[in-house]
């Protein structure tokens, strides 16, 4: 069975400090991994996907198959980054999706 | 405006009283899903649908039913709600194909079962 682990429930960093939100996965097939973000009082929205290797709002994430990780990183945290972040794993060609339990990022001014 | 809508947004009901939460999308997406969000547990997939009349169980389907008679609609049915189904529910949709994996989420429905 597939599993997504986000070990930190809460991550507090100061503005301007680097951020790393951890995500580890367990899946026997070829993984498709995503990061979703939920700002206060807003609906979940896609932040980035591993297949596109893009940088959104300064965030990047690299899929490390050897360590089965997909950590989300940003070199300099901003106050507007404060939100709930979810790592998600898609299985196969369908929409079976497993989310992690989420990490709340709190950026301290 | 492309969007996913859910109704109602808030619902308080009693144990055993059947209810339906509607979900509709206007993006002509093939895939639709239902999730519940609980503190400390994140989002868990209840059911998903690959297209009209094609549905499958997610991780927590017990106590729920779905139907997909039209492409745009994917209602979630609780035949006999129980207090452990008190939760925040999200509907989501996405297009098909490898480039269409992004899910668009609805605003959520907060359900309380007493």
């Amino acid at each position: 069975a597939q599993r997504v682990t986000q070990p930190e429930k809460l991550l507090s960093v100061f503005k301007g400090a680097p951020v790393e939100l951890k995500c580890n996965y367990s899946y026997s097939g070829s993984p498709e991994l995503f990061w979703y973000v939920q700002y206060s009082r807003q609906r979940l929205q896609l932040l980035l996907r591993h297949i596109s290797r893009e940088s959104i709002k300064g965030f990047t994430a690299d899929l490390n198959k050897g360590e089965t990780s997909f950590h989300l990183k940003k070199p300099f945290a901003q106050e507007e980054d404060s939100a709930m972040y979810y790592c998600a794993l898609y299985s196969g060609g369908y929409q079976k999706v497993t989310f992690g339990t989420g990490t709340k990022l709190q950026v301290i001014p | 405006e492309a969007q996913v809508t859910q109704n109602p947004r808030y619902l308080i009901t009693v144990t055993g009283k059947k209810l339906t939460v509607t979900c509709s999308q206007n993006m002509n997406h093939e895939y639709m899903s239902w999730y519940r969000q609980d503190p400390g547990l994140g989002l868990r997939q209840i059911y998903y649908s690959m297209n009209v009349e094609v549905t499958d169980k997610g991780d927590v389907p017990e106590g729920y039913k779905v139907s997909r008679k039209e492409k745009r609609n994917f209602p979630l049915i609780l035949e006999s709600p129980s207090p452990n189904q008190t939760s925040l529910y999200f509907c989501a949709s996405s297009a098909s194909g490898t480039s269409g994996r992004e899910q668009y989420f609805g605003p959520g429905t907060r359900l309380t079962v007493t």
Side-chain angles (χ1 to χ4, degrees):
Chain A
Q2 59 199 61
R3 177 178 290 182
V4 176
T5 303
Q6 293 180 251
E8 303 134 330
K9 287 187 177 180
L10 172 67
L11 182 64
S12 297
V13 301
F14 286 101
K15 178 182 175 181
V19 174
E20 183 178 51
L21 300 168
K22 290 184 168 51
C23 172
N24 288 90
Y25 67 90
S26 172
Y27 180 55
S28 58
S30 183
E32 285 190 67
L33 287 150
F34 295 71
W35 277 99
Y36 282 84
V37 60
Q38 187 176 28
Y39 300 103
S40 180
R41 299 183 186 281
Q42 294 186 27
R43 58 185 78 188
L44 272 87
Q45 56 188 279
L46 178 69
L47 183 61
L48 54 80
R49 68 196 86 186
H50 91 269
I51 198 168
S52 60
R53 300 184 63 82
E54 57 199 341
S55 174
I56 303 292
K57 300 183 179 182
F59 285 97
T60 59
D62 288 317
L63 176 61
N64 186 323
K65 291 187 178 181
E67 295 183 358
T68 59
S69 68
F70 188 56
H71 302 328
L72 184 68
K73 300 177 183 179
K74 185 171 183 177
F76 308 103
Q78 303 298 315
E79 289 180 64
E80 55 265 30
D81 296 329
S82 294
M84 196 76 182
Y85 291 80
Y86 291 95
C87 183
L89 170 66
Y90 287 48
S91 66
Y94 301 107
Q95 291 290 289
K96 178 83 168 62
V97 184
T98 300
F99 280 84
T101 51
T103 297
K104 183 175 182 179
L105 176 63
Q106 182 180 58
V107 180
I108 304 165
Chain B
E1 180 191 356
Q3 61 179 347
V4 178
T5 56
Q6 296 178 225
N7 282 293
R9 295 288 312 281
Y10 302 90
L11 179 60
I12 300 174
T13 189
V14 296
T15 300
K17 186 176 181 181
K18 181 179 178 180
L19 65 92
T20 299
V21 183
T22 64
C23 172
S24 184
Q25 50 93 6
N26 62 1
M27 295 169 278
N28 201 35
H29 283 166
E30 289 79 13
Y31 297 121
M32 297 186 76
S33 298
W34 274 104
Y35 298 88
R36 60 178 290 173
Q37 184 181 39
D38 301 289
L41 297 176
L43 280 87
R44 292 178 293 168
Q45 194 174 39
I46 302 171
Y47 269 96
Y48 61 102
S49 171
M50 287 77 77
N51 215 323
V52 175
E53 303 291 3
V54 183
T55 63
D56 206 349
K57 296 177 181 179
D59 292 321
V60 288
E62 294 78 21
Y64 304 95
K65 284 177 59 178
V66 293
S67 69
R68 187 92 181 274
K69 292 181 168 48
E70 302 168 287
K71 198 172 187 179
R72 63 182 291 122
N73 296 323
F74 191 44
L76 180 69
I77 303 158
L78 283 72
E79 295 269 4
S80 183
S82 60
N84 64 12
Q85 292 179 297
T86 292
S87 187
L88 180 58
Y89 291 86
F90 289 100
C91 179
S93 72
S94 63
S96 62
T98 54
S99 63
R101 294 281 196 257
E102 175 180 358
Q103 292 197 75
Y104 294 83
F105 283 83
T109 294
R110 188 167 292 281
L111 172 66
T112 302
V113 183
T114 61

